[in-house]
Amino acid sequence: TEVFTEILDKSGKIGDLGRIGIKVWMSLDFENSIIVIDDLERRSEDLSIRELFGLCTELKEQKHCKIILILNQDELNKDVEDFERYREKVIDRELKLEPDIHEVMKHGLTETTFVPKHTLEKLKVDNIRAVQKIDAFVTRLQPILQDIPQKAQDHIIKQATVLAWFYFVRDKQQIAWDFIRTFNSSSFQYKNWWPSNKQDEEMSEEARLKFKQKENYYDILNQCGYLQTGPLQLDIIQALEFGFFSSEQFKDHFKNLEHKYNYDEARERYEQAWDIFHSSLENNQEIFVKELVSVFKSYIRFFLPRDLDVCMKVLKNLGESKGKDLFQAYFKLDHKWSHSQEFGLLSDVEDMDIQKQVKIQIKQNYDEKKLLEILVLMVQNGGWSPKDIERLNLVTSDEWYEFFLKDLKHVKEKFVRYVRFLIGFTSHEGKLERQIAENVEKALKKLASESRINETRILYWKS
């Protein structure tokens, strides 16, 4: 044993030797030794299965050695055929180790683990060392998650578990790591993406094998509910690769997740309140009103004007006065609606007071300079988006008058082009577009009334 240890110290790993190195290694004297070749599937690419099995045969027959091969047969990939061809001739006895996933978790996870066991079961992790590494990574990540909702914590830990599995179990297969980096379940529907018969025939064996691997990874991710690799997942990947991370790194992700889960909770509670109304014929008005008002006020930041409109309408129909309380509470807040929320923000709102207050709030957050920026883009692109129209609809005739006098002078050479573009809304069928045209027309009439030349200019621009 001491002699063999010395030889290994001098020669390194068998898998790294290559053909010439093996000849030198074979010339060394270590007869009647027990030789263990571990991680056979991870040997150097310079050493084929055939050559390695040839080495084993020589060691057995010439040196009278006992050889133990340890490998993960599932990871042999393109070497599977060679392995199957020579195994019967070279290997005398086989022992298959198939550890039960619960045994693996029992020995690999700490008692205080945060790793979701059901995710490990779906990943079919059968390596204790890999489980220990996944557990250690998640344990380091968990303390910075303590201030966010439990559902958000669970989501991040589950994502981290899946990514850690790819990193620690599949780390030697670059195809797996590349696959997870850019994964999006909607763009990888392998059942529809499978090559046609003709393409399949033209695919090389290596390409077909790679596709099969991707197909397998897709199935695993799908079972774990992993939908795509976005900014959060990429930061977890970076933490795995560099071995460290900080709460600052994940601050924006936490904020977004917290908002998402609070929003989801608000919608769930809101639907439950309405279930009291819709799923019964009992005389439970008091219970319904109490729950609806309580939920709305508790999660008021997560509701849109249309939700307020619906609540006020039903409360009014029930003869309740609490709708006014909801109205006042809602518009005490400074709502920062996103562009996507602003699109169609008033489309389903019937209450005129709500419409008025929404327009006031949007206007309060509205930068006048942006009016020019929006208009410039609309003219340059020859079109507009619904949110552009909603923005322009907020501009009164007096504000258009000021805009023509002050802001539009910064684009003198295209003044006529911009005015004609706005006048063009007159012939549009949309209600908002016609309202914009009406306000622009009032502003132009005011300008025309100020001088003979302005009156003539506007007549020319309209022609």
Side-chain angles (χ1 to χ4, degrees):
T1 305
E2 292 177 3
V3 173
F4 184 63
T5 304
E6 185 180 343
I7 291 168
L8 278 182
D9 289 340
K10 291 177 181 177
S11 62
K13 295 179 182 177
I14 290 177
D16 294 335
L17 293 177
R19 295 168 189 165
I20 297 174
I22 283 176
K23 288 181 181 178
V24 174
W25 196 75
M26 280 293 296
S27 68
L28 299 171
D29 183 23
F30 49 89
E31 290 193 10
N32 298 310
S33 298
I34 297 174
I35 299 175
V36 179
I37 302 176
D38 194 5
D39 289 336
L40 182 145
E41 72 277 5
R42 299 189 183 189
R43 74 199 182 285
S44 168
E45 290 184 4
D46 294 334
L47 185 61
S48 69
I49 289 285
R50 181 182 175 184
E51 290 168 330
L52 185 59
F53 276 5
L55 168 64
C56 292
T57 302
E58 286 193 54
L59 287 170
K60 175 185 173 184
E61 294 176 357
Q62 296 180 26
K63 303 284 187 178
H64 309 293
C65 294
K66 302 289 185 183
I67 317 295
I68 299 174
L69 298 176
I70 301 175
L71 67 141
N72 184 344
Q73 194 171 337
D74 293 335
E75 303 295 332
L76 284 173
N77 300 325
K78 61 184 180 182
D79 296 314
V80 171
E81 287 185 16
D82 282 345
F83 181 79
E84 294 296 339
R85 186 180 299 124
Y86 298 112
R87 72 189 294 180
E88 219 173 293
K89 299 175 183 177
V90 177
I91 301 172
D92 297 324
R93 186 184 303 172
E94 293 187 15
L95 292 174
K96 193 170 185 179
L97 179 64
E98 288 186 330
D100 177 76
I101 181 63
H102 299 289
E103 279 295 310
V104 171
M105 289 192 290
K106 180 181 176 182
H107 296 290
L109 296 175
T110 57
E111 290 183 6
T112 56
T113 185
F114 297 98
V115 175
K117 293 181 180 179
H118 62 277
T119 301
L120 289 182
E121 289 174 2
K122 289 176 180 176
L123 291 169
K124 298 177 182 176
V125 184
D126 56 5
N127 187 303
I128 293 175
R129 281 180 297 177
V131 170
Q132 289 173 335
K133 289 178 180 178
I134 292 170
D135 189 30
F137 177 73
V138 170
T139 300
R140 294 204 315 274
L141 181 65
Q142 202 280 332
I144 67 173
L145 308 178
Q146 290 178 353
D147 294 332
I148 63 175
Q150 187 60 50
K151 284 186 178 180
Q153 289 187 42
D154 295 342
H155 172 78
I156 293 175
I157 287 174
K158 186 176 180 180
Q159 301 283 294
T161 300
V162 173
L163 291 168
W165 175 79
F166 263 86
Y167 185 73
F168 294 123
V169 179
R170 306 285 175 176
D171 58 341
K172 294 298 180 183
Q173 293 188 27
Q174 191 59 38
I175 183 174
W177 205 224
D178 291 342
F179 181 78
I180 191 68
R181 277 178 175 280
T182 58
F183 179 74
N184 186 319
S185 62
S186 61
S187 62
F188 187 83
Q189 296 290 346
Y190 71 87
K191 290 179 181 176
N192 299 323
W193 192 54
W194 185 262
S196 64
N197 291 335
K198 184 179 178 182
Q199 290 172 319
D200 191 32
E201 289 171 8
E202 293 173 354
M203 285 176 75
S204 66
E205 202 56 45
E206 185 178 356
R208 189 177 286 104
L209 180 63
K210 284 184 178 179
F211 185 83
K212 276 290 186 184
Q213 285 177 306
K214 288 182 178 181
E215 182 182 66
N216 180 46
Y217 298 148
Y218 173 83
D219 284 338
I220 291 168
L221 293 173
N222 191 41
Q223 289 171 25
C224 293
Y226 188 101
L227 300 178
Q228 67 175 15
T229 300
L232 167 64
Q233 290 76 15
L234 287 173
D235 272 349
I236 294 174
I237 286 173
Q238 187 182 62
L240 281 162
E241 290 178 328
F242 289 94
F244 65 89
F245 45 81
S246 66
S247 56
E248 278 299 311
Q249 183 181 359
F250 289 94
K251 185 183 284 185
D252 289 339
H253 300 311
F254 293 167
K255 189 176 179 181
N256 292 336
L257 277 173
E258 184 173 11
H259 184 274
K260 177 188 180 302
Y261 283 107
N262 283 335
Y263 174 80
D264 290 346
E265 186 177 300
R267 299 313 302 185
E268 185 179 352
R269 289 283 308 280
Y270 185 62
E271 287 174 15
Q272 288 171 355
W274 275 101
D275 280 344
I276 299 172
F277 180 85
H278 288 298
S279 61
S280 171
L281 288 175
E282 296 178 13
N283 185 13
N284 55 6
Q285 177 173 328
E286 185 178 343
I287 297 172
F288 167 64
V289 170
K290 182 179 179 181
E291 183 64 13
L292 184 68
V293 171
S294 172
V295 168
F296 197 93
K297 285 186 174 180
S298 298
Y299 298 94
I300 198 164
R301 283 193 174 277
F302 300 99
F303 293 114
L304 293 173
R306 66 174 69 98
D307 299 313
L308 175 63
D309 187 61
V310 169
C311 289
M312 287 179 62
K313 186 175 181 179
V314 74
L315 290 171
K316 183 179 179 181
N317 289 337
L318 290 171
E320 300 279 350
S321 61
K322 298 187 179 191
K324 293 179 181 178
D325 295 337
L326 295 185
F327 180 90
Q328 291 173 356
Y330 190 79
F331 289 109
K332 270 184 181 179
L333 299 174
D334 181 16
H335 295 279
K336 300 289 185 183
W337 293 296
S338 66
H339 290 322
S340 59
Q341 286 176 321
E342 285 180 13
F343 168 57
L345 197 62
L346 296 175
S347 58
D348 298 322
V349 176
E350 296 178 4
D351 189 284
M352 298 303 293
D353 290 332
I354 294 177
Q355 288 189 22
K356 182 180 177 182
Q357 285 300 318
V358 169
K359 288 184 177 182
I360 289 172
Q361 283 221 352
I362 291 177
K363 188 175 282 294
Q364 284 172 348
N365 300 321
Y366 184 70
D367 178 5
E368 270 191 21
K369 267 190 173 179
K370 202 164 187 181
L371 174 59
L372 181 59
E373 293 169 12
I374 292 170
L375 195 55
V376 167
L377 286 173
M378 288 172 71
V379 173
Q380 284 177 351
N381 297 330
W384 54 86
S385 67
K387 71 178 182 184
D388 294 332
I389 296 302
E390 292 218 5
R391 290 272 182 175
L392 295 188
N393 187 51
L394 297 173
V395 184
T396 65
S397 57
D398 289 339
E399 288 168 333
W400 278 118
Y401 172 81
E402 292 295 323
F403 175 75
F404 290 139
L405 283 178
K406 297 177 182 177
D407 294 320
L408 206 54
K409 68 183 179 182
H410 297 301
V411 284
K412 295 175 190 175
E413 71 284 359
K414 297 175 184 175
F415 192 96
V416 178
R417 185 182 175 192
Y418 284 87
V419 173
R420 283 180 172 169
F421 182 86
L422 289 166
I423 292 171
F425 283 127
T426 308
S427 59
H428 205 280
E429 293 181 2
K431 182 181 176 182
L432 295 182
E433 285 84 346
R434 290 200 303 274
Q435 182 62 52
I436 293 168
E438 187 179 318
N439 288 334
V440 169
E441 181 69 26
K442 287 179 183 177
L444 291 175
K445 280 183 179 178
K446 187 174 180 180
L447 286 168
S449 68
E450 292 178 349
S451 66
R452 184 73 176 266
I453 192 168
N454 272 358
E455 183 181 2
T456 306
R457 281 173 179 146
I458 291 168
L459 283 173
Y460 270 84
W461 295 342
K462 287 182 178 182
S463 62

